[in-house]
């Protein structure tokens, strides 16, 4: 990627003159099965642009899952910057939501002056907070039918939609045919240092270009970044199954740890994220993550080396671990070894203080 970045042909992308960017955008649009695509610096900006384009008037409303990334982790940008109101539906364990509840949230009677106007439904695939769950194709098909019935657009926060495609064994376009727009990260498991592709119709992307410029996202010789994005989409999708396999191995390893400190539902481990809980409330997720990241003399003596594993204390008292191309099968086995050590060390410490 770095070699491709250094050797990239570049031009002024603000004027649409960067050949590497144009090639990437055409490649992405074809892969998504959409008319056009736009290179954007981040997923958060990409989602916000989509909201701005679909919800053209201040005071319009979008419907989102209450555990979605757009709702929780993007600073309320849709309200803060776009003037778009959001209403939530309950996110289910598999990342979907109840369509009857969705229908109940749709506003009717526009232009009644009391209410906002329903414009957009947002979904997330794979679902981050729910541990990388893959949205079923049947759900997306039914959701699109509801959206069409009530004249709403569907936007997919598809930061990890390539993981979903690999898990389902389908082309990305099979998933995205049910959406009007999509945001796809080139970083994360695909390995590019920066960048997100926003896909949609030609009219949608034309409007998205204007919104990107207003948000300060217009960049000049952007080909130095787009070159890495081209490799991400062309060469890195096939290797995502390695991440999925390593994630499943780690989840199984947690279940086999003695003492049984970890609680994980292996049936929910579908892609490259595993969420698990600690059975002993005396150790908080934050403390556990600190222990996994640290190394002490006892560990070096017991394991013959120090192993630092970075995890994240996550939503609802859980711990979140994510795999990507820099985490190998050997690294995964070392992480399991470290988790086993932490469980045994915690038991010994608890017995001393009892």
């Amino acid at each position: 990627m770095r070699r491709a970045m250094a050797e990239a042909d570049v031009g002024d992308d603000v004027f649409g003159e960067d050949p590497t960017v144009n090639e990437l955008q055409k490649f992405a649009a074809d892969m998504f099965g959409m008319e056009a695509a736009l290179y954007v610096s981040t997923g958060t900006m990409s989602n916000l642009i989509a909201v701005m384009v679909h919800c053209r008037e201040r005071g319009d409303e979008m419907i989102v899952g209450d555990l979605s990334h757009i709702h929780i982790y993007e600073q309320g940008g849709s309200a803060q910057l776009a003037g778009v109101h959001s209403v939530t539906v309950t996110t289910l364990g598999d990342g979907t939501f109840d369509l009857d509840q969705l229908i109940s949230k749709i506003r009717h009677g526009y232009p009644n002056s009391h209410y906002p106007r329903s414009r957009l439904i947002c979904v997330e695939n794979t679902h981050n907070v729910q541990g990388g769950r893959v949205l079923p194709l049947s759900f997306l098909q039914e959701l699109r039918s509801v959206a069409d019935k009530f004249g709403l657009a569907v936007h997919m926060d598809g930061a990890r939609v390539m993981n979903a495609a690999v898990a389902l064994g389908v082309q990305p376009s099979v998933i995205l045919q049910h959406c009007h727009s999509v945001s796809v990260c080139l970083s994360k498991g695909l390995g590019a240092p920066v960048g997100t592709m926003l896909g949609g119709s030609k009219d949608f992307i034309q409007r998205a270009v204007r919104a990107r410029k207003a948000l300060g996202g217009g960049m000049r010789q952007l080909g130095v970044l787009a070159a890495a994005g081209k490799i991400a989409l062309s060469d890195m999708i096939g290797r995502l199954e390695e991440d999925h396999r390593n994630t499943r191995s780690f989840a199984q390893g947690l279940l086999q740890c003695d003492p049984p400190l970890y609680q994980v539902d292996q049936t929910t481990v579908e892609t490259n994220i595993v969420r698990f809980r600690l059975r002993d409330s005396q150790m908080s997720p934050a403390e556990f993550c600190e222990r996994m990241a640290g190394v002490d003399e006892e560990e070096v003596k017991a394991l013959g080396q120090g192993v630092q594993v970075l995890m994240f204390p996550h939503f609802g008292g859980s711990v979140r671990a994510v795999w990507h191309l820099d985490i190998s099968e050997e690294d995964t086995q070392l992480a399991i070894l470290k988790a086993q050590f932490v469980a045994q060390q915690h038991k010994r410490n608890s017995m001393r203080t009892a």
Side-chain angles (χ1 to χ4, degrees):
M1 279 188 179
R2 292 186 178 183
R3 184 182 304 110
M5 293 168 72
E7 298 174 354
D9 292 329
V10 299
D12 192 332
D13 184 57
V14 171
F15 290 96
E17 298 172 351
D18 191 305
T20 305
V21 174
N22 293 339
E23 290 173 14
L24 171 60
Q25 291 174 164
K26 176 65 166 59
F27 186 85
D30 291 343
M31 176 178 286
F32 300 167
M34 294 182 167
E35 290 181 352
L38 180 68
Y39 186 97
V40 178
S41 59
T42 71
T44 295
M45 180 183 282
S46 184
N47 284 332
L48 177 57
I49 291 171
V51 171
M52 293 171 68
V53 175
H54 288 302
C55 302
R56 301 180 185 179
E57 299 179 16
R58 295 182 68 85
D60 280 346
E61 185 171 75
M62 65 177 183
I63 305 172
V64 298
D66 61 346
L67 298 183
S68 66
H69 196 280
I70 289 177
H71 183 61
I72 297 176
Y73 296 116
E74 298 183 11
Q75 208 183 101
S78 57
Q80 182 183 166
L81 300 173
V84 175
H85 184 258
S86 54
V87 63
T88 62
V89 289
T90 303
T91 303
L92 303 178
D94 63 355
T96 67
F97 38 78
D98 181 76
L99 294 182
D100 288 333
Q101 185 188 31
L102 169 70
I103 293 171
S104 74
K105 300 285 182 153
I106 298 173
R107 310 278 187 172
H108 302 285
Y110 180 84
N112 188 310
S113 61
H114 294 88
Y115 308 115
R117 182 179 185 178
S118 298
R119 287 279 199 179
L120 176 65
I121 304 167
C122 296
V123 293
E124 184 176 332
N125 194 19
T126 64
H127 200 285
N128 177 17
V129 167
Q130 298 294 33
R133 299 301 298 273
V134 178
L135 301 188
L137 293 175
S138 57
F139 167 78
L140 293 174
Q141 183 176 12
E142 293 172 15
L143 174 70
R144 179 59 184 266
S145 295
V146 170
D148 289 346
K149 178 179 179 180
F150 292 99
L152 305 181
V154 176
H155 172 68
M156 178 176 288
D157 176 1
R160 298 178 180 85
V161 74
M162 296 306 170
N163 293 89
V166 169
L168 291 174
V170 301
Q171 294 298 315
S173 58
V174 174
I175 298 173
L176 300 179
Q177 66 180 316
H178 305 298
C179 306
H180 294 89
S181 61
V182 64
S183 172
V184 180
C185 282
L186 301 173
S187 55
K188 299 182 171 64
L190 298 184
V194 63
T196 290
M197 301 308 300
L198 178 62
S201 68
K202 288 182 179 179
D203 178 69
F204 173 88
I205 294 300
Q206 286 175 354
R207 294 174 182 272
V209 171
R210 288 184 55 81
R212 183 184 68 174
K213 183 66 173 176
L215 295 174
M219 291 179 277
R220 299 295 177 175
Q221 283 70 43
L222 186 54
V224 294
L225 297 178
K230 287 173 60 179
I231 294 175
L233 285 184
S234 62
D235 297 353
M236 296 298 182
I237 295 174
R239 61 148 306 278
L240 292 177
E241 175 54 35
E242 299 175 26
D243 296 339
H244 298 181
R245 185 169 57 251
N246 288 332
T247 305
R248 291 191 296 268
S249 295
F250 181 76
Q252 181 63 36
L254 291 182
L255 290 174
Q256 293 174 346
C257 280
D258 183 24
L261 178 62
Y262 310 110
Q263 181 179 354
V264 56
D265 182 355
Q266 201 165 15
T267 63
T268 67
V269 182
E270 297 177 335
T271 55
N272 67 321
I273 302 176
V274 57
R275 283 182 63 206
F276 59 95
R277 288 179 167 77
L278 306 174
R279 296 180 184 273
D280 190 343
S281 60
Q282 294 183 31
M283 181 187 291
S284 69
E287 182 184 359
F288 169 78
C289 292
E290 184 177 348
R291 291 193 185 186
M292 289 293 289
V295 174
D296 59 25
E297 293 182 3
E298 184 180 354
E299 176 186 343
V300 174
K301 183 177 180 180
L303 304 183
Q305 62 180 315
V307 180
Q308 293 179 294
V309 182
L310 302 181
M311 297 183 182
F312 193 73
H314 203 227
F315 196 87
S318 65
V319 177
R320 174 176 178 263
V322 182
W323 272 254
H324 51 82
L325 64 85
D326 293 325
I327 307 299
S328 66
E329 182 178 358
E330 180 183 3
D331 294 332
T332 302
Q333 293 305 312
L334 287 173
I336 294 171
L337 193 66
K338 179 62 174 277
Q340 173 70 56
F341 170 78
V342 169
Q344 293 173 342
Q345 185 183 56
H346 176 68
K347 181 180 180 179
R348 289 193 296 271
N349 292 342
S350 298
M351 292 176 63
R352 293 191 191 106
T353 59

